[in-house]
Amino acid sequence: MAFRDGPFENIKVPLAWTAAVVVVVGLIGAVMLLLGDGRQTQNADSYGPARAGFEAGAAPVGGVLSAPVRWTGNAFDYVRGYFFAVSENRRLRQEVVELSAWRDEALALKNVNTRYEQMLGVKTEPPIPMVTGLAITDARGPFARSRLLNIGAAKGIRVGNPVLSEHGLVGRIMGVSGGNSRMLLLTDVASRTPVLVERTDARAMLTGDGSGSPRLDYVRGAGSVQEGDRIMTSGDGGGFPRGLPIGVAAKGVDGTWRVKLFSDRSAIDYVRVLLFQDFSQLADQNALNAPPLASLAAAPPPTPAQAAAIQDVATRRAAAAAATAERVRAANVPLPAPVAAPVPTTAVPATTTRPAATRPATPQPRPAAPRPTAPAPVQPAATPDAAPTPAGAAE
């Protein structure tokens, strides 16, 4: 049926009004497109308020119009999930099985890394070289407590070296081979460790008795130990360095003081062995034996005024030393012996007095006295009255 044969065949539309309506609708559409444009232009301030008002009104309308689209999408996802649930469950179960193994491995690695980080944080003051190892076997008995480590003399470990975990002191090395070593725990009945109370600096002896908490013996002073006091190594005897943490003091059921070990917080598997021999390795022997003025080499250079003062003092000291040496040399030079005055042969009048000989100002060394000699035999002198006796007159 043609349009003119229908019920609207008698309707007449004026051409001018139709054109006007089309133009108005086009203008309204152009204004809406202009206001809905999201691009920023240079003359945006001219229509900014109008665009803001349009967007404020269009937002609720857009939300209402987009609601059916969202509902349709959700319904489609629900139907698709319902029909494909079996295959999805199979895929998820396979992923769970694979991820469970990765989860267990990740947790184990996380635990190991945490232990490593805690052990690397263990430091001593002054620093002491350490070697990290793993406890591979555990020897237990009614009184014996020891562990076998996978490091030995090849790593520099010696008998008596302290052993630490990430929490505190564990024990000491009691036997060493090439690649393994045996560690004696603090709870062993043969363990004896000199300790101190951090709060009062009181000395005591930590004695193992096979239980989980070793005993404090020989505590000196009344009230020197209280509940919760930190117990540390004292360094007495030179077997352990001072300050290694051990545990906290607690009162036992038998009334004796015992120590709750820090090492009981976790399993003893990863340990660090301190390569401690004696206290001489904690100090630099060269620094201790340095000359008294060795520190002057590190002093800043003197100023010109200080250099002049130092030079003046050095010059005065050199002059004083030279004068002292000259006086000593002059005192050690021997003076010439005095010459005796000749004795006159003429008679000296009785009234004339001999001038006194002047003694030299400087005392002369007295000559050695001559040794006495035996007197020569005296011959009798011949007299003129005695006549010679003839040889034959003796008859």
Side-chain angles (χ1 to χ4, degrees):
M1 182 177 64
F3 179 76
R4 62 181 58 183
D5 296 335
F8 302 102
E9 60 179 351
N10 296 327
I11 299 177
K12 297 180 179 180
V13 180
L15 183 59
W17 287 100
T18 302
V21 170
V22 172
V23 171
V24 171
V25 172
L27 291 175
I28 293 174
V31 171
M32 294 180 64
L33 291 176
L34 182 63
L35 295 177
D37 187 10
R39 294 175 298 175
Q40 299 291 336
T41 58
Q42 296 180 356
N43 56 352
D45 296 337
S46 60
Y47 59 93
R51 185 176 62 182
F54 173 78
E55 292 177 353
V61 177
V64 173
L65 295 179
S66 63
V69 179
R70 293 196 302 270
W71 296 341
T72 303
N74 294 335
F76 180 76
D77 293 339
Y78 178 78
V79 173
R80 184 177 61 180
Y82 180 79
F83 284 103
F84 294 96
V86 176
S87 59
E88 187 71 13
N89 287 338
R90 291 176 182 175
R91 184 181 65 83
L92 293 176
R93 287 178 180 177
Q94 184 178 0
E95 290 183 358
V96 167
V97 172
E98 295 177 355
L99 293 177
S100 297
W102 285 102
R103 181 198 61 185
D104 297 339
E105 185 174 357
L107 291 177
L109 292 176
K110 181 181 179 181
N111 185 22
V112 172
N113 290 335
T114 303
R115 300 285 298 278
Y116 278 152
E117 291 176 358
Q118 292 177 351
M119 292 183 65
L120 290 175
V122 176
K123 297 181 180 180
T124 59
E125 184 61 34
I128 301 175
M130 301 183 185
V131 178
T132 304
L134 179 66
I136 53 180
T137 60
D138 182 8
R140 290 181 176 270
F143 305 102
R145 298 287 190 274
S146 63
R147 299 287 178 90
L148 186 65
L149 307 182
N150 63 347
I151 50 178
K155 297 291 185 178
I157 298 177
R158 300 174 59 181
V159 174
N161 290 153
V163 183
L164 295 173
S165 68
E166 65 270 25
H167 301 294
L169 184 66
V170 176
R172 59 184 176 87
I173 300 298
M174 61 175 298
V176 179
S177 62
N180 300 96
S181 59
R182 181 167 295 280
M183 172 183 61
L184 185 70
L185 298 180
L186 296 176
T187 56
D188 190 275
V189 70
S191 176
R192 300 292 186 273
T193 306
V195 297
L196 60 85
V197 182
E198 185 180 21
R199 181 179 57 87
T200 60
D201 201 28
R203 298 303 199 269
M205 183 66 70
L206 186 66
T207 305
D209 56 359
S211 63
S213 300
R215 186 176 65 253
L216 279 178
D217 292 336
Y218 310 108
V219 181
R220 298 182 179 179
S224 57
V225 182
Q226 294 182 2
E227 193 82 15
D229 285 344
R230 281 172 51 91
I231 307 300
M232 310 174 69
T233 56
S234 64
D236 297 336
F240 295 87
R242 180 188 175 97
L244 300 180
I246 296 178
V248 294
K251 202 72 172 180
V253 295
D254 55 353
T256 61
W257 285 109
R258 295 185 174 270
V259 177
K260 295 181 179 179
L261 301 177
F262 290 145
S263 57
D264 290 342
R265 297 177 179 176
S266 60
I268 302 175
D269 44 12
Y270 293 99
V271 295
R272 304 194 75 180
V273 181
L274 274 68
L275 304 182
F276 177 79
Q277 301 176 7
D278 50 33
F279 288 104
S280 62
Q281 73 181 102
L282 304 181
D284 187 2
Q285 300 296 329
N286 295 329
L288 294 177
N289 299 329
L293 301 181
S295 60
L296 296 180
T303 61
Q306 293 176 349
I310 294 173
Q311 185 64 28
D312 182 55
V313 172
T315 304
R316 292 182 180 181
R317 289 182 177 177
T324 303
E326 182 65 22
R327 288 195 300 268
V328 172
R329 185 182 65 81
N332 294 333
V333 173
L335 296 177
V339 179
V343 179
T345 57
T346 59
V348 179
T351 57
T352 305
T353 59
R354 181 180 296 179
T358 58
R359 300 180 60 185
T362 303
Q364 297 299 326
R366 181 174 299 176
R371 298 181 61 184
T373 58
V378 180
Q379 296 295 335
T383 59
D385 297 335
T389 305
E395 300 285 324

